[in-house]
Each structure stands twice: as C-alpha cells, then as structure tokens.
Amino acid sequence: MAKTRTAVLISGRGSNMVALLNAAKAEDFPAEIAFVLSNRADAAGLAEAEKRGVETMVIDHREFDDRAAFEADINQALGDANIELVCLAGFMRLLTSEFVDAWRDRLINIHPSILPAFKGLQTHERALAAGVRIHGATAHFVRAEMDEGPVIVQGAVPVLPSDTAESLAERVLAVEHRIYPIAVALVADRKARVVSEKVMIDEDGGHAGDVLIVPHCA
Ligand code: GRF
C-alpha cells in the first residue's frame, strides 16, 4: 500500500516532528513525512526538516487579515503537496472549525497531558500544582474545541516528589516522541477508526505496557 502523504505543522523547536521523521525512515512505516509547514520563519524545526530534505514552507499568520485567509493558504499548500494526513506538532495557532471539519479524522495533535486533564498551556506546572501522581501525553484527533477530540494513544509517567516543571516536561516529551509515531502509524494504516467519537483500533497496537498505554482491540 502506498505511504500516506503526511504534513507536520510546527511553530518552534520541532522535536515531535523529528520523532516522526525518524520513525518514517523505517521501510514499513505507513506514512511519509512529505511536507513541513510553519507559521514562523524562525521555527528551529524548519532548518532540521530542510537538512533532511523535506519540503518546507512558511506561512506567516501575521500577513493575513483573518484566520480564514491564513487557513486558505495553508489548505492550498497542503493540496499542492497532495497531503492526506496533517499532524500538529507544537503548532501554536488555533484553527477554525471550518479547517478542522475539512480535515476531520485526518488531522491529529500531540498534547503534553493525559487529556481531558490539563488542556491548554503550562500543563506541567498545573499537574504539579494539582498534585497528580501520573502525568503524560496524548495523541488525538483534532476537533474544533481546543485540545478536544478522540484519543488515539496516551502515555504516562509518574510524577516524582523531586520534579520541577522542567524535569517533568522532559520526561513527558520523551513519551510524546514515543506515542506520536505510534498514533500516526495507526491512522495512516487506517487501523484507528472513530466510532461515536471514540477511537477503535482494528488490530492490537502491540505496545500496551506499564507506562505506555495504547488502545487494545475493539
Ligand atoms: C510539545 O510539548 C507538544 O506536545 C506541544 O508543544 C510542544 C512542542 O514541542 N503541543 P516540539 O516543537 O515538538 O519540540
């Protein structure tokens, strides 16, 4: 089966993008990272993508009057690159419901918390302030409401008494890098189906373990 042509949308560092690029090197990985798009020209991830020979583009949101015009250009670029699946990876712009609906179940995001807990920013600070014992990351299909949508894969880490927001962020980021490629592979392989706004996995993900929690067969 042909590999799913996938775009990654970034705004900064791009470490999740790198995790996807690394995973996509495997011959049997079902997605090809064909395009990286950033709303910021200074996003560090852009240079990394270029170094790896991936087509990149900057569409600066500040050059548009409104979100719809910004997104029309993004859609044009994604269409020109024949993109079938879009991965948000630290893309710091809210997307309109029109854009999200147009890409329904073909648009996924990685978020640094175990959703639905700690939507939004500063998730690690808030996890520490809440005193939770477990924190982690979620790969999910995107819906119009921020950090909402059917969960594809989640991973967890323990919160240690010695943790600072930085140390916790570092451990959660490592989980993000593990689960995002798993989620992309499940979607690209069409093994992750949304049924009644929950993700059903057609085959065992094969990764269920102590800290990495992925869905089992329906
Ligand atoms: C990650 O923590 C991701 O979960 C969040 O933004 C951060 C982006 O990091 N949405 P990077 O650019 O992938 O390194």
Side-chain angles (χ1 to χ4, degrees):
M1 204 165 68
K3 292 190 182 222
T4 301
R5 286 185 63 82
T6 302
V8 185
L9 271 52
I10 63 170
S11 297
R13 178 177 57 181
S15 70
N16 278 289
M17 174 206 76
V18 168
L20 293 177
L21 285 168
N22 286 342
K25 282 187 202 157
E27 218 164 280
D28 60 351
F29 195 77
E32 175 197 355
I33 310 302
F35 191 46
V36 169
L37 192 148
S38 174
N39 65 310
R40 298 183 57 120
D42 61 354
L46 277 177
E48 187 61 31
E50 274 157 25
K51 207 167 82 187
R52 292 165 182 249
V54 180
E55 183 188 345
T56 63
M57 186 180 285
V58 176
I59 300 183
D60 187 337
H61 61 280
R62 293 169 303 184
E63 290 169 8
F64 297 85
D65 289 338
D66 54 28
R67 277 184 207 280
F70 170 56
E71 291 174 355
D73 270 29
I74 294 179
N75 261 325
Q76 176 80 46
L78 295 173
D80 289 349
N82 292 315
I83 294 304
E84 303 163 285
L85 174 65
V86 177
C87 301
L88 305 179
F91 185 66
M92 301 302 282
R93 304 306 299 167
L94 288 175
L95 296 165
T96 66
S97 56
E98 287 74 22
F99 184 92
V100 171
D101 288 347
W103 285 94
R104 193 179 176 87
D105 299 343
R106 299 181 301 146
L107 175 62
I108 63 181
N109 182 44
I110 182 82
H111 180 75
S113 78
I114 301 176
L115 289 172
F118 310 121
K119 294 174 180 173
L121 299 173
Q122 257 116 40
T123 57
H124 311 301
E125 286 83 347
R126 288 190 286 138
L128 287 177
V132 294
R133 298 296 189 216
I134 293 174
H135 185 41
T138 303
H140 64 99
F141 286 108
V142 175
R143 294 292 181 259
E145 302 76 33
M146 189 186 63
D147 299 327
E148 290 248 340
V151 170
I152 307 165
V153 184
Q154 293 184 307
V157 296
V159 178
L160 307 176
S162 58
D163 264 329
T164 60
E166 290 69 35
S167 64
L168 191 52
E170 200 177 308
R171 287 209 311 290
V172 169
L173 190 64
V175 170
E176 294 180 36
H177 296 164
R178 287 178 67 192
I179 67 172
Y180 212 8
I182 295 170
V184 169
L186 286 169
V187 175
D189 260 341
R190 291 170 180 68
K191 287 178 181 162
R193 288 180 299 121
V194 181
V195 180
S196 306
E197 285 300 87
K198 290 193 184 71
V199 173
M200 297 294 163
I201 304 294
D202 286 338
E203 213 172 83
D204 196 324
H207 294 273
D210 46 356
V211 293
L212 196 58
I213 317 296
V214 306
H216 288 276
C217 300

